[in-house]
Amino acid sequence: MFRSNIPPQHLPDGWRPAQLSEIATVHGGGRLKLNKSHYAEAGARAYSAAGPDGFVEQVEGEAPTIVLSSIGARCGKSFLTDGPWTTLANTQVITPRPALASAAFLHAILDDEDYWNRSGSAQPFIKPSDVKGAWVTLPPLDEQRRIAQVLRSMDEAISSAKSAHSKAEAVLSQSREVATGLSMEPPDWERRPLLDFFQLQRGHDLPVQDRKGGDVPVIASNGTVGFHNVSAATRPAVVTGRSGTIGKVNYFDGPCWPLNTTLYVKNFKGSCPRYVYHFLSAFPLADYATGTGVPTLNRNDVHVVEVPWPEVAEQRSIAAALDAIEETVRVAEREVLALIALKSSVADDLLTGRVRVPA
């Protein structure tokens, strides 16, 4: 939408391009020489390069301000203050002049990592001079406020949708633990070693240069990382992380290639595959990982764990109920993504003046 080093073009009547140094005071963060060792249980909100991640007793300012992460992994991410604030090093502080610019409006423009002109490669950073010289589009102040209010309302809708999604995920997690007997074991279920009910198998190596780019997903411990033209797992496939990311479980109706960083179900032994998927999603796999650097899950350690297990007809009934709850999670997630996409589209229209917000 915008680039910090390019003046905006083709603006509506009454709008103008401006550089941040014209409409705001801009300076490096960390003026009070504080670091995270000074964090307290309460006080002024502290902003590091990672964002608002603590509190300190000292107050640097109270005016609405934009704190820009200017170095590191979140370089280009900005944060709008709310109440008393203090900044740490590796940030830039942008405080709009109230007669010229709304902090909430400016934040809507500046909170875009693609907007900023960044330097460096291994450790990206934004030069202070590039912050002061950054170009923004500036409508009249009352219109800035109306635009900011529309976008704030959309942020509130996104926050509400995210909360609903989190609640749905919590319900699914709790339901899995109860329904699979891991938190409340039914007295009439069998309890035997896990290997009696299904067998896990280590995944198969497939270097990037050997992947043929078909429609078979290649699965690592954290999910799909590429595609191939040959499957290496039975269908359906239940796959979980063996090293690195432990505990995330995926289910595939179609063919897939689990890499050697995963474990997958080689033999369901008559068990319902969807039940096995839900069971493993609830089972504390990470508790059985070993290693101090990169945790690793040994299938043999899991195979010997005694677990409660229902008859296959009951497995299917439980899986169907859990599938229905999981679908509510997917619906909630789709709503979040749709609202985020809608906000991005609306922001693009409003911040460029293609769509105006009437008084």
Side-chain angles (χ1 to χ4, degrees):
M1 180 169 56
F2 297 115
R3 289 291 299 172
S4 65
N5 55 348
I6 302 175
Q9 304 291 323
H10 311 297
L11 298 179
D13 290 341
W15 291 39
R16 69 182 180 91
Q19 291 177 292
L20 287 182
S21 59
E22 301 175 42
I23 60 172
T25 59
V26 182
H27 63 80
R31 284 187 165 183
L32 301 184
K33 308 297 182 184
L34 302 178
N35 55 48
K36 293 185 180 182
S37 69
H38 296 97
Y39 279 11
E41 292 185 1
R45 176 71 74 178
Y47 292 80
S48 72
D53 54 5
F55 298 92
V56 291
E57 295 178 355
Q58 299 91 326
V59 176
E60 182 178 344
E62 297 189 16
T65 291
I66 299 144
V67 181
L68 173 69
S69 175
S70 58
I71 188 169
R74 304 205 74 181
C75 178
K77 177 69 178 173
S78 71
F79 309 92
L80 181 63
T81 65
D82 181 15
W85 51 268
T86 296
T87 59
L88 275 59
N90 298 326
T91 62
Q92 289 285 315
V93 181
I94 304 163
T95 305
R97 297 183 174 94
L100 297 176
S102 154
F105 173 82
L106 279 186
H107 178 252
I109 296 176
L110 304 183
D111 187 25
D112 178 0
E113 295 178 32
D114 292 331
Y115 162 82
W116 291 99
N117 184 40
R118 286 178 285 190
S119 303
S121 53
Q123 181 79 319
F125 65 94
I126 301 171
K127 297 177 182 177
S129 59
D130 285 341
V131 179
K132 292 179 180 180
W135 288 96
V136 297
T137 178
L138 206 65
L141 187 58
D142 60 343
E143 190 168 0
Q144 293 179 43
R145 290 169 177 155
R146 293 197 299 273
I147 291 170
Q149 181 56 51
V150 171
L151 297 179
R152 185 180 302 113
S153 297
M154 299 194 75
D155 282 335
E156 290 170 355
I158 291 170
S159 178
S160 177
K162 285 182 176 179
S163 177
H165 178 242
S166 295
K167 289 177 181 177
E169 285 188 315
V171 169
L172 176 60
S173 177
Q174 294 166 5
S175 298
R176 278 172 168 161
E177 290 182 4
V178 173
T180 59
L182 291 173
S183 65
M184 188 181 302
E185 182 174 341
D188 56 338
W189 288 13
E190 290 186 273
R191 170 173 278 273
R192 299 207 310 265
L194 183 146
L195 183 59
D196 286 358
F197 305 120
F198 62 90
Q199 180 184 3
L200 293 168
Q201 171 66 45
R202 178 173 172 165
H204 309 279
D205 191 23
L206 184 64
V208 173
Q209 63 269 22
D210 294 338
R211 299 172 194 174
K212 304 301 182 182
D215 58 1
V216 176
V218 177
I219 313 303
S221 60
N222 58 349
T224 302
V225 293
F227 292 90
H228 193 43
N229 61 352
V230 177
S231 175
T234 56
R235 299 169 59 179
V238 175
V239 186
T240 188
R242 183 186 67 84
S243 64
T245 303
I246 306 294
K248 181 178 180 181
V249 182
N250 291 293
Y251 182 93
F252 298 91
D253 273 321
C256 68
W257 186 293
L259 289 174
N260 61 354
T261 57
T262 70
L263 296 174
Y264 69 95
V265 179
K266 179 181 179 180
N267 186 348
F268 288 98
K269 298 188 174 182
S271 295
C272 170
R274 286 298 297 178
Y275 181 83
V276 172
Y277 159 72
H278 287 296
F279 173 84
L280 282 177
S281 296
F283 188 77
L285 289 166
D287 291 353
Y288 298 90
T290 58
T292 55
V294 178
T296 301
L297 184 63
N298 187 324
R299 64 192 176 109
N300 295 322
D301 293 337
V302 179
H303 280 160
V304 298
V305 179
E306 290 193 352
V307 296
W309 207 253
E311 295 292 336
V312 68
E314 190 170 1
Q315 292 175 37
R316 294 192 185 103
S317 297
I318 292 170
L322 292 174
D323 283 347
I325 299 172
E326 187 175 59
E327 180 57 24
T328 67
V329 175
R330 293 196 189 99
V331 169
E333 181 179 28
R334 288 196 292 268
E335 182 175 354
V336 171
L337 295 176
L339 285 170
I340 290 173
L342 177 62
K343 187 207 168 182
S344 177
S345 176
V346 169
D348 190 45
D349 286 337
L350 296 185
L351 296 174
T352 57
R354 284 195 297 269
V355 175
R356 308 292 291 270
V357 182

